[in-house]
Amino acid sequence: MSEAVPITPTPAPTCLVDRFGRVHTDLRLSVTDRCTLRCTYCMPLDARFKPREELLSFDEFVRVVTVAAGLGIRSIRVTGGEPLLRPRLPDLIARLVAVPGIEEVALTTNGLLLAEQAEALRGAGLHRVNVSLDALDEETFRRIARADGLDRVLAGLDAASRAGFERLRVNAVSIRGLTESQVVPLARLCRGAGFQLRFIEFMPLDAESGWSSGQVLTGAEVRGILEREFGPLEPLASSDPGQPAVDWRFADGGSVGFIDPVSHPFCDRCDRLRLTADGQFRNCLFSTTEWDVRGVLRSGDADVDARLVALLVACTAAKRAAHGIGEPGFERPARAMYQIGG
Ligand code: SAM
Ligand code: SF4
């Protein structure tokens, strides 16, 4: 459902604060809904993609980000679908980095195309890279991703390191009955290579409605697996309140992060807004309403920027207190993760 926003607010606001006092400084841009994998928790095998003309152009993304930066957005994460499938992505990154007010531009990728593009992305000024990798065993990788590619992801991580990206992150979704055996190998790899590992709980955003609470391997359970192998973990104080991950320290050095949206929702600290590849603002992964940015951008009106401000303000104002997973009345969004942008 798309929400109409008729009136430009006056005077113009300078920050995006919602009814609960949450100030929004982070915008996630999905640049494509296409992907090289078909992860069970994200995309159906027979995914249908938006026609290319419905995806926002680079000029349109930059225009939205410029307006958003004027409202206090400081960090941009480029995601998808698989963002590295979008042709000439480094050109977009360079333009986003140059938007006044934007302090950090980051990328979330499945890593398959990273080896080829790491140098160009680094040259474009990209600040950070997160690589999604749930399994180090080929069979488990294939069961989740429904495609091959583990060797390419590992080559991508290596290339990103060599290109000079620091604090490389590895994000691993945890699924009961599937990923328990991958926890220790992932931790060993990341500790050895200096990658920041984060485990993420499986959320009800899969396209095939297969999610059930029983499949959520919680952060606490993953910690238990790690502690049996590496000894006690200790929680670390967070330096960034907007950061959903809670970091824990290994007794012999190094740390590991946990993003637990199901067992420990962090909605009260959420500072994120999202723009889908087809140009819709969303105020939550679980939003059931969208705000039509593409329609405004392509309206031909003289007051496009003022209308974008109004959309951002309305989208932020409508944000609910929490996603409500597991509560009575919880409604899954109509679109799956690959169509929203993770
Ligand atoms: N294709 C890129 C990738 O996989 O990194 C970027 C898009 S993907 C949607 C972004 C992140 O969302 C990935 O780390 C992926 O593992 C995560 N993700 C997708 N579906 C999820 C779900 N149902 N629950 C938890 N995380 C999910
Ligand atoms: Fe593709 Fe990322 Fe979704 Fe996997 S999680 S299907 S890699 S968009």
Side-chain angles (χ1 to χ4, degrees):
M1 190 181 88
S2 208
E3 191 92 332
V5 177
I7 305 164
T8 306
T10 49
T14 53
C15 73
L16 293 165
V17 57
D18 71 8
R19 290 177 292 152
F20 307 97
R22 294 173 295 200
V23 178
H24 293 75
T25 55
D26 182 300
L27 179 63
R28 313 253 143 168
L29 301 182
S30 173
V31 294
T32 180
D33 54 355
R34 290 169 167 72
C35 193
T36 39
L37 301 179
R38 292 290 181 276
C39 302
T40 51
Y41 47 66
C42 174
M43 200 184 238
L45 269 178
D46 60 349
R48 284 166 189 263
F49 304 111
K50 292 282 176 187
R52 286 179 200 278
E53 62 276 13
E54 289 187 18
L55 304 189
L56 294 193
S57 67
F58 287 1
D59 285 347
E60 289 170 328
F61 279 122
V62 172
R63 186 165 192 176
V64 175
V65 168
T66 304
V67 168
L71 293 169
I73 293 294
R74 294 289 168 261
S75 96
I76 300 292
R77 179 165 294 279
V78 174
T79 181
E82 174 46 43
L84 298 186
L85 276 178
R86 181 87 188 226
R88 297 181 306 284
L89 189 74
D91 294 352
L92 175 63
I93 300 289
R95 293 180 64 185
L96 295 173
V97 167
V99 171
I102 295 302
E103 293 166 3
E104 180 174 271
V105 179
L107 173 80
T108 299
T109 172
N110 65 23
L112 265 77
L113 300 171
L114 189 55
E116 295 93 302
Q117 299 192 37
E119 292 239 357
L121 291 164
R122 182 77 183 149
L126 182 69
H127 297 107
R128 294 207 61 164
V129 178
N130 285 6
V131 176
S132 305
L133 176 59
D134 309 321
L136 285 176
D137 157 74
E138 301 231 5
E139 176 54 28
T140 311
F141 182 97
R142 207 175 295 121
R143 275 181 71 192
I144 296 172
R146 298 187 285 195
D148 290 326
L150 174 59
D151 53 341
R152 291 170 69 194
V153 183
L154 295 173
L157 274 164
D158 186 45
S161 274
R162 282 188 284 109
F165 285 106
E166 290 169 4
R167 300 179 297 141
L168 271 173
R169 266 195 197 135
V170 171
N171 287 340
V173 177
S174 303
I175 303 177
R176 188 180 306 289
L178 197 50
T179 63
E180 289 89 338
S181 62
Q182 306 305 306
V183 169
V184 169
L186 278 168
R188 279 199 201 294
L189 170 84
C190 292
R191 296 186 77 192
F195 304 146
Q196 297 182 344
L197 175 61
R198 296 194 311 193
F199 291 98
I200 307 176
E201 290 177 350
F202 177 22
M203 296 179 277
L205 289 165
D206 55 310
E208 291 155 340
S209 296
W211 184 92
S212 69
S213 57
Q215 287 174 298
V216 180
L217 181 65
T218 65
E221 291 173 293
V222 173
R223 268 198 304 284
I225 296 173
L226 289 171
E227 288 191 323
R228 281 195 285 284
E229 183 70 21
F230 300 107
L233 288 163
E234 232 184 76
L236 287 168
S238 171
S239 55
D240 175 1
Q243 182 56 248
V246 177
D247 290 328
W248 291 63
R249 185 171 39 212
F250 291 101
D252 57 349
S255 66
V256 56
F258 295 87
I259 302 183
D260 300 342
V262 181
S263 67
H264 292 90
F266 39 83
C267 304
D268 58 330
R269 293 182 274 128
C270 180
D271 62 358
R272 295 174 180 185
L273 298 172
R274 291 167 194 277
L275 179 59
T276 65
D278 59 346
Q280 307 293 309
F281 277 140
R282 299 173 65 90
N283 56 25
C284 178
L285 276 174
F286 296 92
S287 179
T288 49
T289 306
E290 296 184 339
W291 286 261
D292 184 15
V293 177
R294 193 181 72 222
V296 168
L297 285 166
R298 298 184 184 174
S299 63
D301 293 348
D303 61 348
V304 165
D305 287 355
R307 290 179 63 197
L308 291 175
V309 169
L311 282 187
L312 274 161
V313 169
C315 169
T316 308
K319 189 154 167 160
R320 287 175 299 176
H323 57 52
I325 298 172
E327 289 170 17
F330 171 72
E331 207 183 320
R332 280 180 64 120
R335 302 223 257 177
M337 188 64 121
Y338 76 104
Q339 299 165 310
I340 298 171

